[in-house]
Each structure stands twice: as C-alpha cells, then as structure tokens.
C-alpha cells in the first residue's frame, strides 16, 4: 500500500464508539534523537538525509509497525501533505519539510512516525475515545523495539535529549481531544481551561499549537516532561480528562434543566444552517457541526449518526475538500464546495433514518 | 470574519501570538498571511512562547552570557539557541549546561529524569553529583572510547559511536571520505544521496 492508497481509507478516530462523546480521541507521542547526530533544524540536508535513510530502513524491520507505509516528504504533493496534517498524522511543521524528512505510518493510522521534524523521531499512537493508557502501551512497544537497534541521545539526569529543552526527560506528550459544547453554552469553559493551565497542562485548538478552538474542540496535553514517569503523566492527564468529562456532563444536564430553549435553539439552528446553507466558512461549519454533535449526544436529534458528523469534521477541511473535488479551490470556492458537501451528506444520512428530530 | 489586513477576503488563518507577554489574536486571509511572512505550518515552539525566546524578543534583548560560546561538536552558538529556542545536537546539553540548568528548572520545575531509559543506559547519578562527562550523554553508545589522556582531537570527537562523525579532519581527508561514501551510494543506486554528497563536495572546493 502507498500513502496515496492509504489516504482513501476512513480515518481511525472517525470510527469511534459511543464512549467517545466528549473525549473524541487520545494521543501519546514520544520525541527521540540519535546520539551523535545534529538535530534536524541545525543539521544540513545531507545529514538529515542520512538519518532518514537509516531510520527508514530500521522502521521497516519493526514488527509493531507492520504493515507499514513510509515515504520521504519530497515525494508528497502539497495536497497529500495537507491530508496527512488534517488527519493529525503529521504536524504542520513536517508538512513544510522536503528531502531529508519523512513519514512512516502503520496502515491503520493508529501509529505514525515523523522523521526529522523538530527531532529525529516523533512517534505517536492515536486512538478514538479516552484510551491514553493503550496509546502509551502501543507507542512504548515501538520505542522498545527501536531502542535495540539505535543509540538514543540520552543523559542519566536529563533523560532523552531533544532539540527543544521543553521536551527533555521522557519526551512524552499525551493529549486528549475534547468536545465541550455544553461548557461553552453555559459560559463555563474559560474558568475551567484557566484552571487546567494553572496545573501545568496545555490547552490548544483542534490542530495543535497556534490554532483556534473551533467547533468547541480543545486539545489538552501535558507540558512538563522531566521528572515524572510516563505512567504518572498519562494517569494524571487521564484523571483530568475524566474530571472535564464530568464537568461537561453536568453542564449539559443544567443546560437542559435551566436553558432548554437556548439548547434547542442552538441545535435547531445547527440543523437548519447546515442543511440549507450554500456558503460555509471552515469556522462556521465546525461550530455548527459541534451543535449537531451535541444534539445527537443529547438525543435531540435522532435521525443522524454521530459518525456522519465526525467524518464531516475532517472532510470539510481545505485539503480533504480539494482532494474530494479533485482540483485546487480558492477560499471562496471552498466555502461553496463545503456547504454542498455538508448539505448533501446530511440530507442523505437523514433520509436513511427518516424519524424526525426530537427537537420540536 | 474579514481579514484584518486587507479587509476584503475572508480570514481563514487564525493566529494566537504572545507579544511582550500579552496574548494577541490575528485573523488573516491566506494571501495576506503568506505576504506578511506568516508560515502557517510552523507555529512558534513552546519554548518561544513560554520563555520569550521568540525572534522578536531576541532582537532587542541584551547579549547573554554564553552567547558567543559554541558547541564543540556542532558549533551552535548560545546566540543561535536564543534566536530559535532549539539546540543543535545532543552534545549542546553538555556545552551549555550552565545556561540550560536554570531554564530547564523553570520549565519543568524538576531537574532529574524519572521514567523509561534506553536499554543499557546508566541510572541517574545521585543528586549532588558533578556534571556528567560528555560520554554520559551518549550513555548507551556502543564501544565507548577508553578514558585516555586528553589529546588534541578528543574535544572534537566525543561521538565515536556515530556512523558519520564530524572529526577535525583535513580538507583532503573529508573529500576522500565523501568520495568513498559517494562511490558506495552510486553502487547502491541511491542517487539522491549521491546528489547530496556531490553538493557537499562542491562546497569544500
């Protein structure tokens, strides 16, 4: 299989089960570097290419990664890079790299590795729902296989050494993607997020650093990587995620109790706009899809599967949209194509299950 | 939302920047974002955000101790680190240990690694131990160089384990090394590597 064929498959976190209502997906990534080689940002192209060639050969040998697809970044078009980025399989930084950097994925997309991004290796496990421990177990297995074949840059006191000192120690970043429309509608999101930042966790938007929290989707992750074990870091984040899930549940309960009209109005508008609009910006689409998701979770919308909505969260993104259309689209054209896609998908999904909404 | 710069196109790039400690949000259309040099795919790194190591902050900041010093292995200077927030190679952690220690303490609030270590890596030294030697950094490095008396070359080659060290070799030797690697690459039909090696050899001329 090639990356091109792989892209045609549905994405792993779109096949989420019922438990992933609030915790959409979990991710654990490890940063690793080879002893004796300059970090990618400082090494020249030749040195990067040598590292990529060495690692590319080694990764193909690892049983945990099979079946594996791997490619040098220079082989990928802008569109393909965009698709991988929107699927959370490579970072925005990696999407801008060329020869000397590469990406390797297990075919089910649950494990992905970037070579020569900020560090020689960034490897992640990504699974639907709250599954941080399983993510850590899987990526730890990859790391253990690999450490028998390479010499990592490691210092006894500072742990795994990384290009940026903010990642040293365990080199681990555990994160959860949360959907929190209840807290947003109750105006309670901000104080909770401030509290989370105060206890040393980072809060980011849907696509990581520097992105906005669109669609009420927020990523919460550990920031501190030195001085705590991986198990402690994962357990702490899991505990905080469960607490946020509880806050969200309580917010939704009170929303129904005290602000039912606001809730029904929000969900009703989401259905109305998404099934009728002919121009949708990315932000507007994400925000109303969040409303649909909330309506489904609260059983106000009964004729739509959440999976249809979760797929749309991805398919309305610029690269996916252009890939489906088979051509480059200007931002204005995208808004029209996006609205058409959403309208048609929702109408056909709702036709399949014609029971009316419970939002009367 | 309209782009804040041209006020015409729809803003599709939303940036959150930290400028002088204040959070600033910027909404731009794709063209304006590209024109103003915003690399959408390369947001500021954590260190830059956390510690004001950003390019803006570094430009008018006074020179700091360690700025002029450089890593013996990769030649990154302290000033380079302040500019990018990223180190050049694992050995930089030894070269800039004095500058990095307080930074790492303030970032992580802890100073000692706990958790997984690579197979065969030494355990953490006791808290009051002296700074580790360069060879500790490459802890599990294959055949470690014997602790011989310092030779002129030692400072430059703490990384014997690496297949491609940058030893203090003469121009002719380096050219010969590259030629050997080039011949091997051509034999393996790895033309991409061969092209890069040829470029590197041209630089030496």
């Amino acid at each position: 299989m090639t990356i091109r064929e792989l892209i045609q498959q549905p994405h792993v976190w779109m096949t989420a089960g019922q438990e992933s209502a609030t915790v959409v997906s979990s991710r654990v990534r490890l940063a690793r570097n080879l002893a004796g080689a300059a970090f990618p940002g400082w090494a020249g192209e030749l040195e990067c290419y040598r590292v990529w060639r060495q690692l590319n050969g080694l990764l193909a040998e690892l049983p945990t990664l099979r079946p594996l697809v791997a490619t040098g970044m220079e082989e990928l078009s802008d569109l393909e890079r965009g698709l991988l980025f929107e699927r959370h399989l490579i970072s925005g930084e990696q999407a801008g790299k060329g020869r000397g950097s590469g990406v390797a994925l297990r075919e089910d997309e649950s494990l992905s590795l970037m070579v020569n991004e900020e560090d020689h290796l960034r490897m992640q496990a990504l699974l639907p729902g709250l599954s941080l421990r399983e993510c850590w177990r899987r990526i730890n297995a990859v790391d253990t296989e690999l450490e028998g074949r390479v010499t990592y840059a490691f210092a006894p006191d500072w742990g795994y050494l990384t290009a940026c000192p903010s990642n040293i120690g365990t080199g681990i970043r555990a994160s959860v993607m949360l959907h929190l429309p209840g807290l947003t509608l109750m105006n309670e999101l901000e104080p909770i997020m401030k509290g989370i930042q105060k206890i040393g966790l980072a809060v980011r938007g849907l696509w990581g650093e520097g992105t906005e929290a669109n669609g009420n989707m927020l990523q919460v992750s550990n920031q501190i990587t030195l001085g705590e074990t991986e198990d402690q870091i994962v357990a702490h984040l899991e505990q905080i995620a469960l607490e946020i899930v509880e806050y969200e549940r309580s917010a939704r309960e009170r929303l129904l109790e005290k602000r039912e009209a606001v809730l029904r109005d929000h969900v009703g508008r989401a259905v109305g706009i998404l099934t009728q609009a002919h121009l949708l910006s990315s932000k507007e689409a994400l925000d109303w899809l969040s409303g649909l998701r909330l309506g489904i979770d609260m059983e106000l919308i009964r004729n739509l599967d959440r999976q249809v909505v979760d797929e749309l969260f991805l398919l309305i993104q610029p690269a996916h949209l252009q890939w489906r259309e088979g051509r480059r689209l200007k931002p204005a054209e995208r808004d029209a194509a996006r609205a058409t896609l959403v309208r048609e998908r929702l109408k056909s999904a709702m036709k399949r299950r014609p029971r009316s909404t419970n939002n009367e | 939302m309209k782009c804040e710069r041209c006020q015409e196109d729809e803003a599709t790039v939303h940036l959150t920047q930290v400028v002088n400690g204040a959070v600033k949000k910027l909404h731009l259309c794709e063209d304006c974002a590209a024109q103003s040099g915003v690399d959408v795919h390369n947001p500021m790194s954590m260190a830059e955000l956390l510690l004001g190591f950003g390019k803006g902050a570094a430009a008018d900041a006074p020179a700091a101790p360690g700025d002029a010093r450089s890593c013996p292995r990769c030649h990154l200077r302290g000033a380079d680190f302040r500019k990018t927030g990223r180190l050049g190679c694992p050995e930089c952690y030894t070269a800039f240990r004095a500058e990095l220690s307080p930074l790492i303490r303030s970032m992580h609030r802890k100073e000692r690694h706990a958790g997984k270590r690579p197979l065969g890596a030494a355990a953490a030294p006791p808290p009051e131990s002296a700074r580790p030697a360069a060879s500790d950094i490459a802890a599990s490095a294959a055949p470690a160089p014997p602790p011989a008396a310092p030779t002129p070359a030692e400072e430059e080659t703490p990384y014997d384990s690496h297949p491609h060290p940058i030893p203090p070799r003469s121009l002719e030797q380096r050219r010969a090394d590259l030629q050997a690697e080039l011949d091997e690459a051509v034999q393996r039909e790895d033309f991409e590597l061969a092209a890069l090696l040829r470029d590197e050899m041209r630089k030496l001329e």
Side-chain angles (χ1 to χ4, degrees), chain B residues 42-174:
Chain B
N42 190 8
M44 278 201 286
S45 81
M46 275 285 304
E48 291 162 327
L49 289 172
L50 269 179
L51 296 147
F53 267 122
K55 286 167 191 160
D60 43 278
D67 267 11
R69 280 215 341 272
S70 65
C71 168
R73 148 89 189 145
C74 74
H75 312 296
L76 177 112
R77 294 166 309 150
D80 297 320
F81 172 65
R82 291 214 311 143
K83 219 192 296 178
T84 63
R86 293 179 185 178
L87 292 161
C89 73
E91 177 64 17
C92 288
Y93 280 94
T94 306
F96 299 107
R97 190 173 179 91
E99 292 83 10
L100 287 171
S101 284
L103 180 70
I104 285 171
R105 213 175 302 127
S106 69
M107 262 178 183
H108 296 281
R109 289 176 241 152
K110 299 239 173 87
E111 298 173 68
R112 316 203 66 73
H113 173 56
K116 191 174 184 179
R117 37 189 79 247
L119 281 171
E128 279 84 31
S129 77
R131 47 180 291 185
S135 59
D136 283 344
I137 300 258
S140 52
T151 63
E154 189 182 311
E155 199 194 26
E156 291 282 327
T157 55
Y159 281 89
D160 285 15
S161 62
H162 187 246
H164 303 285
I166 307 170
R169 301 172 76 98
S170 72
L171 218 58
E172 287 75 47
Q173 282 173 316
R174 283 168 65 191

Side-chain angles (χ1 to χ4, degrees), chain A residues 6 14 38 121 160 205 220 233 240 259 266 292 298 317 333 349 357:
Chain A
L6 182 140
M14 301 196 314
L121 261 171
Y160 294 95
V220 176
I233 288 168
I240 299 299
R259 306 178 71 175
H266 184 76
L292 275 195
M298 297 192 72
Q317 291 306 311
E333 292 178 311
T357 64

Side-chain angles (χ1 to χ4, degrees), chain A residues 36 39 42 49-50 53 74 92-93 118 140 143-144 154 157 162-163 165 168 209 223 225 227 230, chain B residues 14 41 44 46 73-74 86-88 90 93 97 108 112-113 116 118-119 136-137 159 181 188 190 192:
Chain A
F39 297 134
W42 190 247
Y49 186 76
R50 282 169 175 153
R53 216 172 40 120
E74 77 281 8
E93 178 167 343
E118 179 179 313
N140 186 29
D143 182 56
T144 301
F154 180 86
D157 56 348
T162 51
I168 60 164
E209 275 174 31
Q223 204 143 221
T225 52
E230 294 85 352
Chain B
H14 309 279
H41 297 304
M44 278 201 286
M46 275 285 304
R73 148 89 189 145
C74 74
R86 293 179 185 178
L87 292 161
Y93 280 94
R97 190 173 179 91
H108 296 281
R112 316 203 66 73
H113 173 56
K116 191 174 184 179
L119 281 171
D136 283 344
I137 300 258
Y159 281 89
E181 198 182 349
R188 268 200 327 268
D190 188 344
E192 223 156 339

